[in-house]
């Protein structure tokens, strides 16, 4: 047994260095250094060397997958049931996105250069130098992580809207910052009135799947045009997750501060549930969806953890506008919304309606149209959706009742993708996916016309609950109060987002991610 050069395995490490530099993978320094040391050992017996290479090949593949941003195997196993629902056409569409032609060409060039230059360059030395450089860079990144002063909101549960941000000078690790954030959020509770004797108004929440600010920029739609008739616009709202079920639960639990992903699937205090707070004031809740709610048990999550006990509104006899990635029907938003309004909208005094639409979800196909990429059809589907919403708003205005209408996207569609995730992949809650545009419109005869109020600071669900509470407390629909004053005192929230075993948080004004409880890594930016 002796030490030798890495031979052809240098190519493996050169490719990984290139991918790491590009931001397409992470790099586990100790594991990669150990693998390089394993390949450097040479045995006198040829059979042992063959076993070394075969075993090393398996370890190299496993390590490459571990260093990639792809979900862990065990998480894919847990999602196997959902993946089985994908249509064959959607599978082909996803495969076309995964294959990166530029990256394949770069790999070809690196391979040819390696074989050509290996005659006079000792690539083992290059690999060792590369490992040393990654080690130096890792230490430098860890130093940066510890230089962030901790920002905390000075809040009390008695007056959560009158709060100021206090910055302490004590530097904390990202884990300590995250713990401090969740501790601060745990003290936030909206104080709804014990009873409401003011002007009645309906609360209608339109929860839109797959629409982030980045997606609007991709299709060339501006917030000014999209929300020109709305009274309040949150241009940097934090959805705090990139999946539909958790996003719906967070919205329906908006009356308390942001919790961890794990806590979403545990029982929460009654006062945390937005619709329960409204029901205690005489509101009648409704659940309306333009899909059957079966995928990922969405319908059950809304009922169990969102605490809306009403059965979803029956839509089976309404027109089908699209078919989902699982070939299930997706019904016309306009038909569903206006059908509910005509059949149920007058029976509740007042109404609290939660509407969920998947019209913009990845993989959808327009009904009675030739098949096309869901990325190509997104602009058309988006235009159709907002035509339907605007028509619904006109019908609300004709009805003459007071309404507080809220458009709250669940998360983005990741239309462009980035270095880490191909288009449509939302495993990691990156800033471009969780930064969504929220808008609020007040409809009523006594609603005064003000200029639009724009909130550009990071805000999240608790702010929406506080705004509803403020509208109730000021009897806004009787012509009292100023919406700009209510908005100015809403709590802002740092951008922290979480999926199962994946966390994104800003450190030193830069997004970092933690995967499966491992080290914090800068999220590669395009």
């Amino acid at each position: 047994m002796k030490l030798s050069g890495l031979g052809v395995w240098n190519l493996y490490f050169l490719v990984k260095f290139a991918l790491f530099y590009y931001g397409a993978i992470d790099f586990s320094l100790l594991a990669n250094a150990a693998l390089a040391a394993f390949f450097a050992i040479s045995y006198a017996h040829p059979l042992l060397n063959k076993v070394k290479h075969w075993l090393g090949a398996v370890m190299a593949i496993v390590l490459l997958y571990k260093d990639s941003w792809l979900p862990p195997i065990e998480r894919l196993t847990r999602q196997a049931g959902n993946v089985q629902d994908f249509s064959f056409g959607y599978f082909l569409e996803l495969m076309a996105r995964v294959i990166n032609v530029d990256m394949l060409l770069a790999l070809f060039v690196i391979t040819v250069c390696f074989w050509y230059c290996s005659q006079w360059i000792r690539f083992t030395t290059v690999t060792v130098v590369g490992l040393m450089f990654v080690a130096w860079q890792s230490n430098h990144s860890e130093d940066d992580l510890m230089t962030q002063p901790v920002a905390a909101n000075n809040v009390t549960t008695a007056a959560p809207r009158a709060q100021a941000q206090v910055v302490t000078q004590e530097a904390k690790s990202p884990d300590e910052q995250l713990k401090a954030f969740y501790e601060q959020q745990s003290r936030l509770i909206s104080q709804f009135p014990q009873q409401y004797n003011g002007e009645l108004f309906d609360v209608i929440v339109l929860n839109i799947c797959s629409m982030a600010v980045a997606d609007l920029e991709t299709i060339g739609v501006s917030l000014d045009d999209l929300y020109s008739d709305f009274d309040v616009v949150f241009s940097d709202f934090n959805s705090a997750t990139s999946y539909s079920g958790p996003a719906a639960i967070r919205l329906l639990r908006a009356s308390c501060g942001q919790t961890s992903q794990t806590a979403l699937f545990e029982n929460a205090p009654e006062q945390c549930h937005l619709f329960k707070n409204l029901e205690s004031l005489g509101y009648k809740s409704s659940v309306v969806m333009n899909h059957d709610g079966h995928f990922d048990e969405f319908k059950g999550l809304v009922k169990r953890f969102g605490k809306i006990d009403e059965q979803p509104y029956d839509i089976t006899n309404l027109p089908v506008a699209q078919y989902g990635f699982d070939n299930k029907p997706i019904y016309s938003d306009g038909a569903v919304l206006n059908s509910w309004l005509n059949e149920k909208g007058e029976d509740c005094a007042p109404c609290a309606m939660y509407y969920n639409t998947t019209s913009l979800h990845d993989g959808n196909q327009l009904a009675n149209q030739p098949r096309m990429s869901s990325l190509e059809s997104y602009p058309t589907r988006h235009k159709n959706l907002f035509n339907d919403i605007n028509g619904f708003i006109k019908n609300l205005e004709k009805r003459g009742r007071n309404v507080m209408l809220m458009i709250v996207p669940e998360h983005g569609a990741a239309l462009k993708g980035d270095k880490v995730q191909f288009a449509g992949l939302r495993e990691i809650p990156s800033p471009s996916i969780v930064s969504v545009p929220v808008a609020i419109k007040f409809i009523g005869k006594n609603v005064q016309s003000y200029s639009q109020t724009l909130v550009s600071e990071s805000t999240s669900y608790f702010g929406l609950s506080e705004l509803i509470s403020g509208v109730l407390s000021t009897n806004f629909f009787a012509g009292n109060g100023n919406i700009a004053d209510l908005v100015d005192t809403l709590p802002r929230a740092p951008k922290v987002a979480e999926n199962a075993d994946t966390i994104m948080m800003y450190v030193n004004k830069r997004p970092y991610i933690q995967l499966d409880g491992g080290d914090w890594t800068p999220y590669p930016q395009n």
Side-chain angles (χ1 to χ4, degrees):
M1 185 173 67
K2 63 180 181 178
L3 294 179
S4 65
L6 302 183
V8 71
W9 289 107
N10 282 300
L11 179 60
Y12 170 83
F13 291 101
L14 291 176
V15 170
K16 291 191 73 172
F17 289 146
L19 293 173
F20 178 61
Y21 176 79
Y22 179 75
I25 63 170
D26 195 7
F27 198 93
S28 302
L29 177 62
L30 184 59
N32 280 278
L35 182 62
F38 176 77
F39 285 131
I41 299 174
S42 178
Y43 298 93
H45 199 292
L47 180 61
L48 290 178
N49 278 321
K50 287 184 178 180
V51 171
K52 180 194 76 172
H53 287 296
W54 280 106
L55 181 59
V58 173
M59 293 190 294
I61 293 172
V62 171
L63 184 55
L64 178 60
Y65 190 92
K66 180 179 181 297
D67 281 341
S68 76
W69 303 113
L70 295 172
I73 296 296
E74 61 269 18
R75 200 178 308 165
L76 291 177
T77 303
R78 292 200 301 266
Q79 295 292 326
N82 290 335
V83 174
Q84 289 175 0
D85 289 339
F86 290 1
S87 68
F88 180 70
Y90 186 46
F91 264 121
L92 293 180
E93 183 178 336
L94 291 177
M95 289 303 298
R97 298 182 204 171
V98 171
I99 299 173
N100 188 318
V101 176
D102 289 342
M103 196 167 290
L104 291 177
L105 292 175
L107 177 61
F108 174 73
V109 171
I110 291 174
T111 302
V112 171
C113 289
F114 172 78
W115 287 115
Y116 182 74
C117 298
S118 61
Q119 302 176 44
W120 61 85
I121 295 178
R122 294 181 62 85
F123 277 104
T124 299
T125 303
V126 176
T127 299
V128 172
V129 172
L131 291 170
M132 293 173 63
F133 177 78
V134 172
W136 173 83
Q137 191 176 49
S138 298
N139 290 333
H140 185 67
S141 297
E142 290 177 5
D143 292 339
D144 288 344
L145 282 173
M146 293 299 295
T147 60
Q148 167 80 351
V150 179
N153 284 327
N154 184 15
V155 252
T156 64
T157 56
R161 284 191 292 273
Q163 58 178 298
Q165 192 175 69
V166 178
V167 179
T168 67
Q169 295 304 315
E170 180 187 358
K172 291 186 177 181
S173 69
D175 288 331
E176 291 171 331
Q177 292 178 48
L178 183 65
K179 181 180 179 181
F181 168 76
Y182 281 133
E183 287 178 350
Q184 177 263 326
Q185 289 289 307
S186 69
R187 299 193 293 271
L188 301 181
I189 302 176
S190 286
Q191 302 298 316
F192 278 72
Q194 295 297 315
Q195 59 181 13
Y196 181 63
N197 300 315
E199 191 81 14
L200 296 178
F201 64 96
D202 298 331
V203 175
I204 295 179
V205 182
L206 308 183
N207 204 196
I208 299 175
C209 177
S210 303
M211 188 181 78
V213 175
D215 300 319
L216 298 180
E217 294 173 350
T218 300
I219 63 174
V221 174
S222 71
L223 285 183
D224 291 340
D225 293 335
L226 185 67
Y227 290 147
S228 59
D229 294 330
F230 283 73
D231 300 294
V232 183
V233 175
F234 298 89
S235 63
D236 192 21
F237 190 90
N238 177 26
S239 71
T241 184
S242 58
Y243 283 119
S244 297
I249 298 172
R250 291 188 184 280
L251 173 58
L252 297 174
R253 289 187 183 178
S255 296
C256 286
Q258 184 174 329
T259 68
S260 67
Q261 172 85 3
T262 303
L264 286 180
F265 302 99
E266 299 172 353
N267 291 327
E270 189 84 354
Q271 62 266 35
C272 292
H273 297 94
L274 176 60
F275 277 63
K276 285 298 182 185
N277 287 327
L278 293 173
E279 288 174 6
S280 68
L281 297 174
Y283 280 79
K284 179 175 175 56
S285 295
S286 297
V287 176
V288 188
M289 300 181 291
N290 75 333
H291 54 101
D292 64 10
H294 84 285
F295 187 77
D296 208 19
E297 300 182 0
F298 182 85
K299 181 170 60 175
L301 293 177
V302 168
K303 180 176 182 179
R304 180 178 177 186
F305 299 109
K307 297 299 182 184
I308 304 183
D309 298 325
E310 298 297 317
Q311 286 297 316
Y313 178 67
D314 184 12
I315 58 174
T316 52
N317 294 322
L318 298 178
V320 175
Q322 301 177 39
Y323 290 93
F325 56 86
D326 53 0
N327 286 328
K328 294 293 181 66
I330 298 174
Y331 297 85
S332 163
D333 291 287
V336 173
L337 288 169
N338 291 308
S339 176
W340 171 85
L341 185 63
N342 294 331
E343 288 192 20
K344 303 292 184 181
E346 299 297 335
D347 296 339
C348 45
C351 304
M353 192 268 269
Y354 170 77
Y355 178 70
N356 185 268
T357 172
T358 59
S359 293
L360 302 182
H361 197 286
D362 196 42
N364 289 1
Q365 293 296 312
L366 295 167
N368 303 317
Q369 296 287 333
R371 183 175 183 87
M372 68 175 74
S373 162
S374 55
L375 301 180
E376 294 174 342
S377 69
Y378 187 95
T380 301
R381 292 184 284 124
H382 184 272
K383 181 179 179 181
N384 293 344
L385 170 62
F386 274 86
N387 284 341
D388 287 347
I389 290 176
N390 290 330
F392 176 61
I393 290 174
K394 287 183 172 61
N395 289 333
L396 289 173
E397 292 171 336
K398 292 176 183 177
R399 192 179 60 155
R401 285 173 54 157
N402 297 323
V403 180
M404 183 178 181
L405 176 76
M406 311 172 72
I407 293 182
V408 186
E410 294 175 352
H411 51 72
L415 289 181
K416 286 187 67 174
D418 55 27
K419 293 180 179 180
V420 174
Q421 303 181 107
F422 60 81
L425 185 62
R426 295 175 280 107
E427 183 66 21
I428 299 174
S430 67
S432 62
I433 296 176
V434 302
S435 299
V436 299
V438 167
I440 299 171
K441 184 175 180 62
F442 298 96
I443 301 170
K445 60 182 179 179
N446 292 323
V447 173
Q448 300 184 32
S449 178
Y450 295 103
S451 60
Q452 185 182 88
T453 300
L454 175 66
V455 180
S456 57
E457 301 95 338
S458 178
T459 317
S460 201
Y461 301 102
F462 182 71
L464 299 181
S465 177
E466 285 292 276
L467 185 56
I468 296 174
S469 175
V471 170
L472 288 165
S473 300
T474 59
N475 196 11
F476 174 80
F477 281 92
N480 301 327
N482 185 326
I483 193 62
D485 293 337
L486 290 176
V487 172
D488 285 343
T489 56
L490 291 179
R492 297 344 186 213
K495 197 178 296 296
V496 176
E498 188 172 354
N499 289 338
D501 304 316
T502 304
I503 305 173
M504 188 279 296
M505 179 177 66
Y506 273 77
V507 179
N508 287 341
K509 299 182 180 180
R510 181 179 180 183
Y512 276 71
I513 57 173
Q514 183 188 59
L515 305 179
D516 301 296
D519 295 333
W520 289 88
T521 307
Y523 190 84
Q525 302 291 289
N526 287 335

